[in-house]
Amino acid sequence: MFVIRPVAINLPALQFTVSDQAILQAVNLTKIYRSGDRDLAVLDDVSFDIEQKATCAIVGPSGSGKTTLLGLCAGLDVPSSGEVKLNGNSFKGLSEDERAALRNREVGFVFQNFQLLTNLTTLENVMIPLELRGERGAEKRAKDLLDRVGLNERLDHFPVQLSGGEQQRVALARAFINQPKILFADEPTGNLDGDTSQRVIDLIFSMNEELGTALVLVTHDLDLAEKTERVIRLHSGKVQADSNAVIA
Amino acid sequence: MRQGFFKSLFSGWTWRMAWRDSRRHRGRLLLFSSSIVLGIAAMVAVGSFGQNLADAIEVQSRSLLGADLQVNSRQDFTEEQRELLDSLGEERSYQTTFSSMLHFPLSGDSRLVQIRALDGEFPYYGEVETEPVDGFERFKKGDGVLVEENLLLQFDAKVGDFVNIGAVPVPVVGALKTVPGENMVFATVAPRVFVPDDVLAASELIGNTSIARYRVYFRFDSPESLSAAETELNKIRRKNRWGVDTVEERKRELGNAMRNLNRFLNLVGFIALLLGAIGIASAIQLHVRQKLDSVGVLRCLGGGIGQTFAIYLIQAGALGFAGVIAGSAAGLAVQRYLPLAFQDFIPLEIEFAIHWWPVLRAAGVGFGICLLFALIPLMQVRRVSPLIVLRRSVAQIGGKDIWVGVLYLAIAAGVTGFAISQTRRWEHGVGFVVALAISILVLLVVAKFVRSLARVFIRSWWPFVVRQGMANLHRPNNRTGLLMLALGLGTFMILTLYLAQYGLVAELLPNEENNKPNAILFDIQNDQLAGVLDILKSQELPIVDVSPMVNMKLKSVKGEDVRDIARRPRRLEGDDGPPRRGPRGRRPPGWALRREYRSTYRSELASTEKILRGEWIAKASFDDEFIPISIEEGIARDLSVDLGDELVFDIQGLELTTKVASVREVEWRQIQANFFVVFPAGVLEDAPAFHIVTTRVADAEASARMQREVTREYANVSSIDLMLVLDVVQSIVSKITFGVRFMAFFTALTGVLLLITATLNSRYQRFREGILLRTMGANRAQILWIQFVEFSLLGIMASFTGILLAVGGQWALSSFVFEVDFKFPVFPVMAAVGANYLITVLVGILGTWGITRHPPLELLRAEA
Ligand SMILES: Nc1ncnc2c1ncn2[C@@H]1O[C@H](COP(=O)(O)OP(=O)(O)OP(=O)(O)O)[C@@H](O)[C@H]1O
Ligand SMILES: [Mg+2]
């Protein structure tokens, strides 16, 4: 595997990226949890890069550290050691708010349990990422995206009024509204049945394609993993195998 | 580019988001806000009421006295004095007041009243109100007497009936309602009867009575002549033993008294507010706990800490604001009725007017306190990790949150500051806060105890419903602590006030076991004594005690003329301390020197007396070099005299040289004729004397019969029985406590409100549980029983803790402040426990309402 390492210049007030190759870089990530007086290494020296527009699946047995890894990559958590760079910007040393801002700019999320705000309508849920940064025109974009996922009739419905598949499609629209460079999905079909899953998966891949977003997908589903260009297999917190387009 | 907290707070989106996110919770949030409504209402009402009072004092200040100035004396004015008084002011009214019996010939009843004779045009300001309205005019024309309205009601008499003053029958021309400057309480103690001069003269009562008071009311045209008169009077007031009262002084006194009352009420209302704020905090705590996921999602999607915090702060603020608005409205409504609670004490007409400043101030304090309390649970929002979207159980971000500590400090400082601003003494303010903190702490500790008891004590063989009910007390999200506070604090407040009232009244109750006297007859003249005693004997009433009473004045103490002593400087040379009464060398207080000593003579000690020092001497004669007397310890201290010291008394011009032979301790609380100075037998027998007779009557009827008979035979003899005194005292005490209880009621009601909201609250939590139980086959009765067990335990524990606190507080109060014996009224306290328990269980049971009424499936859908 050959990757051109990007050269990032970090100046105190100014951060910009020279490389346009790797959107996500995980460098020697280690995550250790203390339980009692024992240290538990959930992730142990994990490194990989994800290029722009690439698709990648993270697979592995339950408890192998997939979700932990995803959390670190998205800047939701801080590694015990190692570093994550998003689009060349390191999470290292950033405050909670700065990490949130970086996420807001670069990252889209899809979760197993959808994570829609239950008191907000479909439309309002989708607009949040843009509204959080005080951007105008959120409504227009949100409507376009909801149209794209086939829910333009359900703008004023609340999550409880939608089926699981529909909720996940709303989540997808929300994930793409800020035109992220990378989409993280943790078991996006884990709570859906076969047919519904298929529809959501198709949407994820096609929208990814259209918008030129990189995709990092955590899944148990090997069929799903097959659809990605690359599979990273975790075992006990270590990268056991990492291949482009593994054919099982 | 990231929106910080303050910027977010002013961004429209944050408010919109707060609004959107509150959907489906709005009803519940509004319900929560009700917990501060009563606290705010109490403070708004008291604040606005205080302003109205202050205004009334200002506007009606001159009717506080009915005149510009008044001079009071215990002796009738001499010719010389009258001449001087008549030279002052534009107009004058002389009033003479003394106690005597008023006889109602129709019913045959008699009652000790305050007889007043009045001339001149008093009142110069304000009105003497009577029913019918022309009563006062007719009294002035000499048509008849005015009698206190309550007294007429009490004896079933009406205007037009005849009453006897002394032996003179005279018609009642009006029921007396108010006299400028006098309050109802005063009138309850001594009902007033205005009597025309000729009737008074005909009754021959004056001169045959021991205590009379004389007063002149003045009207002045200009402030200059008023202040000139004041200066003039101040020069001679001491010498003449006069009291001088002006409108300004009255205004100041009344203003102070009203401000103190107002501050006290404000503090009582503040407790309700604090309890409500605790309720708000716990509601926000619950709200935040349910919002953690939403916070996590927002943070995950790129929301800043300050930004998300602002959203929930706005929600909490809106909740508080709703409470403040509702509370202010309720407070203004209540304020209309506050004057009713206190009107008997306030010699003013209080107008209802809305004053925005006190309302705003109270609302502001309330909102501030409420927000401070809400901020504590809100702080958790700042510590939600975005990782929560991936994993439910994640630790919070950041280390220890110093802001929570800062908030606690701010609350402590705010509450203490407010308390001090109300008590005006930092010791009292801090004392209030410490007492409150201890109460809260005790309740919380008991709550903890209850929780662990419930955990440790459950036995597996206990019935299922008991185990479930007890488990509810310690399960996650239990409301045990909050409910203990809500119920306990309310019980504590109400009971404390009740016990204080009870303690004060109980102190006066006659002791039933022994034959203590409970009725007293006085102003009996030498030649009437035998007759009075005969009447008692004929009615088979015991004569407990007969004491002659001789009026005398002090002439000199230890060889020094009292006038010289009174002129002595307050401080001796080289004495920097504050002037104190007591120790030798210091000047005794003026009243002790100038007072009229009503002394008795007898050969034995009374049962209420004890010799502390010296020797009791039973008999003496004028042949002795000096007369040995016994003196009460307190007055001995005041006069700085002890065994062997010489006192010279003046009895209507006759000087008697005495020496202190013994110092006595007297138990004043007994109804008994008690005296400062007791002479031995054999000296005063021929001096002009009144006699006091004490007896014991079995009931009100016997008392009335005795009084009727005595008044008929000897119109000038007055009598009063302890039952009547007790009635009066009780009515005064209950009037005072009514006002206070009115305010304390806000706390108790807030407690009940908290109970209701918390129950509805846990209803949301317990809904699923209840359904689950039902789907597993539990029947309605079982679910009711579970709730019953839980709320029973809560109710009982909270009541008992509240009682314990109240009893503890009462014990401390009675031991250290009132110095009375601590008494515990078992029945009322048990009634309080019972009521508390019933309310708690009732609310608890009602809380299960929906859960047991619907089929489980329906509920599962509704809740999904
Ligand atoms: N806060 C924590 N403290 C201690 N251990 C933790 C914590 N969070 C996660 N773990 C442990 O880390 C390991 C990896 O968890 P993770 O959720 O990343 O696994 P996963 O691969 O996503 O599993 P699954 O496929 O079941 O979702 C697990 O053994 C888990 O118990
Ligand atoms: Mg996982």
Side-chain angles (χ1 to χ4, degrees):
Chain A
M1 190 189 68
F2 181 65
V3 175
I4 302 168
R5 296 227 167 251
V7 183
I9 302 170
N10 274 308
L11 293 173
L14 176 77
Q15 266 187 10
F16 60 92
T17 314
V18 181
S19 163
D20 57 2
Q21 296 284 313
I23 180 69
L24 173 71
Q25 295 165 272
V27 186
N28 307 116
L29 285 182
T30 300
K31 183 71 186 178
I32 294 167
Y33 284 116
R34 266 203 95 81
S35 59
D37 42 25
R38 244 161 32 94
D39 282 346
L40 177 72
V42 176
L43 287 178
D44 187 5
D45 197 22
V46 174
S47 297
F48 59 88
D49 292 352
I50 306 282
E51 287 139 59
Q52 291 207 356
K53 300 178 189 176
T55 56
C56 167
I58 299 175
V59 297
S62 185
S64 56
K66 305 183 294 292
T67 298
T68 309
L69 179 58
L70 195 75
L72 290 179
C73 290
L76 298 177
D77 201 1
V78 276
S80 306
S81 69
E83 186 178 2
V84 174
K85 289 181 186 171
L86 257 187
N87 204 9
N89 305 300
S90 176
F91 277 123
K92 205 170 200 166
L94 296 191
S95 72
E96 276 289 334
D97 277 357
E98 287 163 333
R99 272 187 276 144
L102 191 53
R103 273 200 299 277
N104 184 271
R105 209 164 59 225
E106 313 283 7
V107 179
F109 281 101
V110 181
F111 308 98
Q112 177 170 4
N113 46 3
F114 324 133
Q115 298 286 18
L116 299 176
L117 298 189
T118 48
N119 293 344
L120 270 58
T121 63
T122 301
L123 182 64
E124 287 165 352
N125 260 294
V126 176
M127 295 193 302
I128 292 176
L130 289 190
E131 288 184 327
L132 273 173
R133 56 164 106 140
E135 206 160 288
R136 301 198 172 273
E139 188 166 333
K140 164 101 184 39
R141 243 193 95 63
K143 280 181 176 161
D144 289 349
L145 276 165
L146 281 167
D147 193 31
R148 173 71 184 80
V149 299
L151 289 172
N152 51 352
E153 308 270 287
R154 317 292 294 266
L155 301 185
D156 292 330
H157 287 202
F158 290 98
V160 283
Q161 296 168 298
L162 302 176
S163 73
E166 287 161 345
Q167 288 189 50
Q168 194 61 303
R169 274 144 62 198
V170 175
L172 259 179
R174 182 179 68 183
F176 281 107
I177 197 169
N178 58 343
Q179 292 169 296
K181 295 271 171 21
I182 186 163
L183 180 74
F184 290 108
D186 190 7
E187 312 260 13
T189 58
N191 279 355
L192 304 174
D193 64 40
D195 285 349
T196 322
S197 297
Q198 198 50 50
R199 177 136 193 232
V200 168
I201 293 296
D202 289 347
L203 262 177
I204 291 180
F205 278 92
S206 60
M207 286 175 79
N208 237 50
E209 182 96 36
E210 285 162 30
L211 296 163
T213 309
L215 172 67
V216 176
L217 189 73
V218 167
T219 183
H220 272 118
D221 181 354
L222 290 182
D223 288 341
L224 176 54
E226 264 174 37
K227 298 198 162 134
T228 60
E229 298 158 0
R230 174 182 174 195
V231 174
I232 297 173
R233 187 177 294 275
L234 279 186
H235 192 83
S236 303
K238 288 196 167 64
V239 178
Q240 195 185 37
D242 181 353
S243 73
N244 284 314
V246 174
I247 291 120
Chain B
M1 65 149 268
R2 189 82 340 231
Q3 298 205 320
F5 168 67
F6 287 105
K7 200 168 163 207
S8 303
L9 207 51
F10 296 105
S11 134
W13 178 77
T14 317
W15 287 79
R16 226 165 27 245
M17 188 63 197
W19 175 246
R20 288 173 185 165
D21 181 73
S22 70
R23 266 176 205 142
R24 305 213 308 154
H25 303 313
R26 282 175 207 149
R28 190 155 33 127
L29 288 176
L30 225 53
L31 182 70
F32 291 155
S33 77
S34 68
S35 62
I36 54 159
V37 165
L38 289 173
I40 301 269
M43 298 202 35
V44 163
V46 170
S48 186
F49 172 63
Q51 188 64 49
N52 281 336
L53 254 183
D55 287 357
I57 291 175
E58 201 53 48
V59 172
Q60 301 165 45
S61 62
R62 294 220 278 195
S63 65
L64 287 178
L65 217 55
D68 293 306
L69 183 114
Q70 69 182 35
V71 172
N72 300 305
S73 171
R74 284 171 169 264
Q75 262 104 42
D76 200 357
F77 301 109
T78 60
E79 283 298 314
E80 201 182 333
Q81 289 171 337
R82 263 184 192 259
E83 215 165 283
L84 172 87
L85 293 170
D86 285 344
S87 73
L88 300 173
E90 258 54 57
E91 284 184 81
R92 287 151 300 279
S93 284
Y94 285 86
Q95 179 182 278
T96 307
T97 306
F98 61 91
S99 296
S100 183
M101 297 305 277
L102 181 70
H103 184 63
F104 295 88
L106 279 182
S107 63
D109 291 312
S110 297
R111 164 75 153 92
L112 185 67
V113 297
Q114 215 190 88
I115 304 271
R116 293 188 184 184
L118 178 71
D119 72 4
E121 294 306 310
F122 175 85
Y124 301 111
Y125 310 104
E127 301 273 344
V128 172
E129 283 177 37
T130 58
E131 175 67 43
V133 282
D134 66 346
F136 190 58
E137 269 168 53
R138 295 189 57 197
F139 152 71
K140 285 196 149 180
K141 276 194 269 165
D143 291 356
V145 295
L146 292 176
V147 179
E148 190 81 49
E149 191 177 38
N150 285 341
L151 202 62
L152 289 179
L153 287 176
Q154 190 187 339
F155 289 105
D156 224 3
K158 54 189 186 306
V159 174
D161 287 357
F162 274 77
V163 292
N164 288 0
I165 309 284
V168 182
V170 51
V172 177
V173 293
L176 185 65
K177 294 165 95 115
T178 61
V179 175
E182 295 178 9
N183 65 31
M184 280 296 291
V185 169
F186 182 61
T188 319
V189 182
R192 300 161 292 191
V193 177
F194 279 90
V195 179
D197 283 334
D198 53 338
V199 176
L200 202 60
S203 75
E204 295 176 353
L205 284 175
I206 284 206
N208 284 334
T209 176
S210 54
I211 311 163
R213 276 154 225 266
Y214 304 86
R215 172 179 290 176
V216 205
Y217 294 101
F218 293 91
R219 186 179 69 77
F220 288 86
D221 268 349
S222 70
E224 292 79 32
S225 58
L226 170 62
S227 64
E230 264 189 272
T231 327
E232 180 86 353
L233 284 168
N234 278 335
K235 275 188 264 173
I236 52 170
R237 66 195 290 181
R238 265 172 189 278
K239 190 179 84 196
N240 290 331
R241 305 171 188 189
W242 286 350
V244 178
D245 216 354
T246 61
V247 170
E248 277 313 307
E249 207 165 305
R250 200 49 91 79
K251 207 161 95 181
R252 204 175 47 241
E253 280 167 12
L254 191 64
N256 280 339
M258 291 302 132
R259 265 190 299 280
N260 284 339
L261 171 71
N262 209 247
R263 293 201 196 103
F264 178 69
L265 294 179
N266 227 349
L267 265 187
V268 178
F270 190 56
I271 298 179
L273 179 69
L274 282 182
L275 184 59
I278 293 173
I280 292 274
S282 97
I284 295 288
Q285 162 98 22
L286 186 83
H287 183 61
V288 164
R289 215 179 282 151
Q290 289 173 339
K291 284 292 169 188
L292 293 182
D293 279 324
S294 299
V295 176
V297 171
L298 284 172
R299 303 266 297 104
C300 181
L301 296 178
I305 293 177
Q307 209 175 3
T308 38
F309 180 65
I311 293 171
Y312 294 95
L313 180 66
I314 288 170
Q315 285 183 355
L319 177 156
F321 192 70
V324 167
I325 294 292
S328 302
L332 288 174
V334 166
Q335 192 226 312
R336 267 180 183 284
Y337 301 101
L338 261 188
L340 296 182
F342 295 101
Q343 65 185 2
D344 286 352
F345 297 93
I346 302 166
L348 294 168
E349 296 261 323
I350 299 157
E351 305 254 320
F352 174 75
I354 294 178
H355 290 277
W356 290 109
W357 170 233
V359 172
L360 275 180
R361 196 176 42 199
V365 168
F367 188 66
I369 290 282
C370 169
L371 211 57
L372 275 180
F373 273 81
L375 272 172
I376 290 177
L378 268 181
M379 283 294 152
Q380 288 170 62
V381 168
R382 293 164 54 255
R383 294 158 62 80
V384 173
S385 164
L387 201 58
I388 199 170
V389 295
L390 293 176
R391 210 189 303 283
R392 275 276 21 194
S393 56
V394 245
Q396 297 172 324
I397 53 172
K400 263 204 169 308
D401 196 347
I402 58 156
W403 282 105
V404 174
V406 170
L407 278 174
Y408 276 115
L409 277 181
I411 287 175
V415 170
T416 314
F418 182 81
I420 291 174
S421 80
Q422 297 303 309
T423 56
R424 296 282 150 143
R425 296 266 293 276
W426 71 266
E427 312 96 279
H428 293 177
V430 170
F432 168 82
V433 173
V434 167
L436 194 65
I438 289 177
S439 315
I440 292 176
L441 217 70
V442 167
L443 282 164
L444 288 180
V445 166
V446 172
K448 206 176 155 75
F449 176 70
V450 167
R451 278 196 298 261
S452 31
L453 261 192
R455 192 166 34 233
V456 174
F457 259 91
I458 295 184
R459 295 286 174 267
S460 55
W461 49 266
W462 288 2
F464 169 72
V465 290
V466 175
R467 278 182 289 137
Q468 281 292 319
M470 285 180 75
N472 278 346
L473 288 171
H474 68 78
R475 265 203 274 243
N477 291 341
N478 66 72
R479 322 253 84 209
T480 307
L482 179 70
L483 289 185
M484 282 294 290
L485 265 190
L487 295 169
L489 219 52
T491 316
F492 170 45
M493 295 263 314
I494 297 282
L495 261 185
T496 297
L497 290 168
Y498 179 79
L499 287 178
Q501 179 186 352
Y502 180 85
L504 289 176
V505 175
E507 192 56 29
L508 298 161
L509 282 172
N511 219 336
E512 290 301 332
E513 305 114 63
N514 47 34
N515 244 31
K516 296 245 172 84
N518 63 3
I520 186 161
L521 295 104
F522 52 98
D523 286 354
I524 305 167
Q525 284 159 25
N526 277 337
D527 55 352
Q528 297 173 325
L529 181 61
V532 170
L533 294 181
D534 281 344
I535 292 174
L536 293 185
K537 277 181 210 142
S538 74
Q539 298 198 357
E540 289 174 359
L541 296 171
I543 294 156
V544 181
D545 181 49
V546 180
S547 299
M549 190 176 86
V550 179
N551 283 356
M552 53 187 71
K553 277 184 211 156
L554 255 183
K555 184 98 177 66
S556 71
V557 177
K558 289 183 275 186
E560 193 177 356
D561 193 296
V562 289
R563 277 170 302 190
D564 295 335
I565 301 175
R567 269 197 292 275
R568 228 150 64 183
R570 278 237 154 211
R571 291 154 200 237
L572 296 178
E573 222 137 325
D575 174 13
D576 310 320
R580 270 184 287 135
R581 48 194 195 144
R584 275 159 200 277
R586 300 262 166 84
R587 200 192 78 187
W591 67 267
L593 295 170
R594 287 190 296 260
R595 67 167 290 134
E596 189 100 11
Y597 281 85
R598 283 181 259 281
S599 308
T600 193
Y601 54 91
R602 51 176 139 84
S603 50
E604 301 100 40
L605 264 183
S607 62
T608 51
E609 298 172 324
K610 209 169 77 192
I611 294 292
L612 292 179
R613 299 188 285 281
E615 190 190 348
W616 171 256
I617 294 177
K619 255 186 145 13
S621 80
F622 282 109
D623 303 336
D624 300 339
E625 185 186 341
F626 53 81
I627 298 155
I629 57 166
S630 178
I631 186 165
E632 190 265 339
E633 59 163 333
I635 196 81
R637 213 176 321 118
D638 282 335
L639 290 172
S640 305
V641 295
D642 210 331
L643 296 181
D645 286 340
E646 184 198 84
L647 297 170
V648 177
F649 286 98
D650 172 342
I651 305 171
Q652 300 196 343
L654 175 72
E655 286 187 11
L656 272 185
T657 305
T658 67
K659 264 194 185 159
V660 178
S662 66
V663 177
R664 274 168 316 136
E665 184 184 60
V666 176
E667 200 189 323
W668 291 99
R669 277 197 238 114
Q670 283 297 332
I671 188 165
Q672 182 82 299
N674 289 314
F675 300 91
F676 281 135
V677 179
V678 178
F679 281 71
V683 184
L684 295 177
E685 276 74 358
D686 293 327
F690 288 113
H691 297 266
I692 297 175
V693 173
T694 53
T695 180
R696 181 175 176 81
V697 290
D699 50 31
E701 204 188 314
S703 166
R705 195 164 357 107
M706 179 269 288
Q707 297 194 23
R708 213 178 297 150
E709 184 77 7
V710 171
T711 327
R712 200 175 55 217
E713 295 288 327
Y714 308 101
N716 68 297
V717 173
S718 297
S719 60
I720 193 156
D721 70 86
L722 185 59
M723 284 178 271
L724 188 67
V725 175
L726 255 184
D727 272 355
V728 169
V729 170
Q730 203 135 24
S731 86
I732 293 172
V733 171
S734 74
K735 269 175 186 155
I736 295 171
T737 45
F738 174 75
V740 179
R741 238 188 293 171
F742 185 78
M743 298 307 297
F745 203 59
F746 282 86
T747 305
L749 264 187
T750 298
V752 174
L753 257 181
L754 280 188
L755 174 68
I756 292 172
T757 51
T759 309
L760 285 177
N761 217 339
S762 56
R763 195 180 131 90
Y764 291 95
Q765 296 168 23
R766 304 258 169 85
F767 225 62
R768 294 193 155 271
E769 207 175 278
I771 299 159
L772 223 65
L773 285 172
R774 292 210 62 193
T775 50
M776 292 188 301
N779 56 33
R780 271 165 62 172
Q782 278 171 315
I783 289 178
L784 281 180
W785 274 109
I786 291 171
Q787 193 90 346
F788 175 78
V789 168
E790 179 187 356
F791 279 78
S792 286
L793 287 172
L794 266 178
I796 291 171
M797 288 309 283
S799 304
F800 274 106
T801 316
I803 289 169
L804 224 69
L805 282 170
V807 168
Q810 194 50 37
W811 172 81
L813 271 186
S814 52
S815 308
F816 303 121
V817 182
F818 297 135
E819 298 187 354
V820 296
D821 294 339
F822 172 64
K823 302 228 170 56
F824 183 78
V826 178
F827 181 73
V829 168
M830 286 303 135
V833 180
N836 207 343
Y837 173 76
L838 273 182
I839 291 176
T840 312
V841 171
L842 204 70
V843 170
I845 297 288
L846 286 179
T848 63
W849 191 259
I851 304 181
T852 57
R853 270 186 53 227
H854 297 281
L857 188 67
E858 206 176 299
L859 290 166
L860 275 177
R861 273 221 200 82
E863 278 287 293

